[in-house]
Amino acid sequence: MTEDVHSAESSEKSGALNEVVEIVKTVVYALLIALFLRVLFFQPFTIPSASMDPTLLEGDYIIVSKYSYGYSKNSIPFSPPLFKGRILERKPDRGDIIVFKLPRDGHIDYIKRLVGLPGDRIQVKGGVLFINGVAVPRKPLAPVMVDSGYGFTRNVERYEETFPNGKKFITYDFGPDGDVDNTEVFVVPENNYFFMGDNRDNSLDSRVPAEIGVGYVPAENLVGKARIIMLSWNKGASLFKPWTWVLDARPSRFFNTLK
């Protein structure tokens, strides 16, 4: 009888141990699959600022395709120095909305619109963007009132800009005399890119030197192309306030494809 009891207890312990092992294996497999998908295909990002208004709003939850431009060390979480350059590289198009690693700190993700390709001459004069000496056409739209971020709203001019490749998008402009509305001519180095935010007077981008801004962005720093706004919430929403998940949702922005 005693031997039978010991045998039953041993069998129960062995069964429990096997169950724990199976659970751990399932979790590990799930994590490996998630990592594989994140490295090779898609990665979610949350928009933290107003620098890409009105295209992307603070609180938008977007999906970025990692395969669009090939892969670099920055395609992998924590950017381990496994190799240099890009594998299966594909060149981005002017006007793409791209997530990239900040050149001065490879642990920080930025998202901006690609304005300048290698060899381009980029300049802003009176708030107007010039590419290779030619002003980018912009059509004025009705102005809007937006949150200034300082507790009051302000009037903002809107323009529909058209890049040389035909890509159209809307920008915000506070006026022609902002800090980055009149710049030098930037000549984009080989294997680098020049980025700007659509909220032209509220964007720390390539117009600002790399020491405090973005500067030129090496091709290796590109992470992926923004594809779709999956979900969106107002700034007051919080993970720890479940009622805000509904009250502060912006359903009109759900599943919007980015151009």
Side-chain angles (χ1 to χ4, degrees), residues 174-223:
F174 295 162
D177 299 314
D179 293 338
V180 285
D181 277 335
N182 293 279
T183 73
E184 61 181 296
V185 176
F186 299 96
V187 181
V188 184
E190 183 180 358
N191 211 36
N192 280 261
Y193 297 99
F194 192 97
F195 288 88
M196 290 175 61
D198 289 351
N199 195 352
R200 291 290 167 76
D201 292 314
N202 189 19
S203 176
L204 195 65
D205 51 40
S206 291
R207 292 170 291 178
V208 183
E211 292 75 18
I212 57 174
V214 171
Y216 301 118
V217 177
E220 187 178 50
N221 285 44
L222 304 188
V223 174

Side-chain angles (χ1 to χ4, degrees), residues 93-96 113-116 129 131 136-137 161-169 200:
D93 292 324
R94 194 192 314 276
D96 285 357
R113 191 179 295 275
L114 176 58
V115 170
L129 173 62
I131 299 177
V136 171
E161 298 194 11
T162 304
F163 273 174
N165 59 3
K167 184 163 290 189
K168 299 178 183 289
F169 54 95
R200 291 290 167 76

Side-chain angles (χ1 to χ4, degrees), residues 6-250:
H6 285 310
S7 177
E9 289 178 351
S10 176
S11 178
E12 286 182 9
K13 289 179 180 179
S14 177
L17 179 60
N18 289 337
E19 186 173 347
V20 170
V21 169
E22 287 303 315
I23 291 173
V24 170
K25 285 168 62 177
T26 300
V27 171
V28 170
Y29 291 153
L31 290 174
L32 288 174
I33 292 170
L35 179 62
F36 175 79
L37 292 175
R38 184 181 178 190
V39 169
L40 293 184
F41 296 107
F42 300 101
Q43 184 172 346
F45 287 91
T46 301
I47 303 303
S49 74
S51 70
M52 280 296 292
D53 285 4
T55 307
L56 295 172
L57 304 182
E58 184 175 350
D60 283 349
Y61 186 84
I62 68 170
I63 299 297
V64 170
S65 59
K66 304 289 286 291
Y67 55 82
S68 295
Y69 311 121
Y71 305 96
S72 73
K73 67 177 183 180
N74 294 304
S75 303
I76 306 170
F78 309 111
S79 302
L82 301 179
F83 59 94
K84 293 185 178 182
R86 302 194 74 86
I87 298 173
L88 303 176
E89 182 176 15
R90 288 181 290 277
K91 303 295 184 183
D93 292 324
R94 194 192 314 276
D96 285 357
I97 302 171
I98 297 175
V99 171
F100 57 88
K101 294 293 184 181
L102 187 64
R104 72 170 184 272
D105 188 337
H107 300 292
I108 299 177
D109 293 311
Y110 264 44
I111 183 166
K112 304 288 181 188
R113 191 179 295 275
L114 176 58
V115 170
L117 304 174
D120 280 346
R121 291 176 289 110
I122 305 296
Q123 186 177 23
V124 179
K125 295 189 290 186
V128 178
L129 173 62
F130 286 75
I131 299 177
N132 296 323
V134 179
V136 171
R138 61 179 193 168
K139 180 176 72 175
L141 305 174
V144 293
M145 297 295 293
V146 301
D147 184 356
S148 68
Y150 297 98
F152 62 90
T153 58
R154 64 176 298 174
N155 191 62
V156 174
E157 299 294 331
R158 295 189 307 148
Y159 295 92
E160 181 187 71
E161 298 194 11
T162 304
F163 273 174
N165 59 3
K167 184 163 290 189
K168 299 178 183 289
F169 54 95
I170 297 174
T171 61
Y172 279 172
D173 189 359
F174 295 162
D177 299 314
D179 293 338
V180 285
D181 277 335
N182 293 279
T183 73
E184 61 181 296
V185 176
F186 299 96
V187 181
V188 184
E190 183 180 358
N191 211 36
N192 280 261
Y193 297 99
F194 192 97
F195 288 88
M196 290 175 61
D198 289 351
N199 195 352
R200 291 290 167 76
D201 292 314
N202 189 19
S203 176
L204 195 65
D205 51 40
S206 291
R207 292 170 291 178
V208 183
E211 292 75 18
I212 57 174
V214 171
Y216 301 118
V217 177
E220 187 178 50
N221 285 44
L222 304 188
V223 174
K225 181 179 180 179
R227 292 287 186 176
I228 188 172
I229 302 171
M230 287 294 294
L231 302 168
S232 183
W233 287 273
N234 290 316
K235 288 192 290 186
S238 170
L239 180 64
F240 303 104
K241 299 176 182 178
W243 61 90
T244 65
W245 303 351
V246 175
L247 296 179
D248 287 312
R250 295 186 289 226

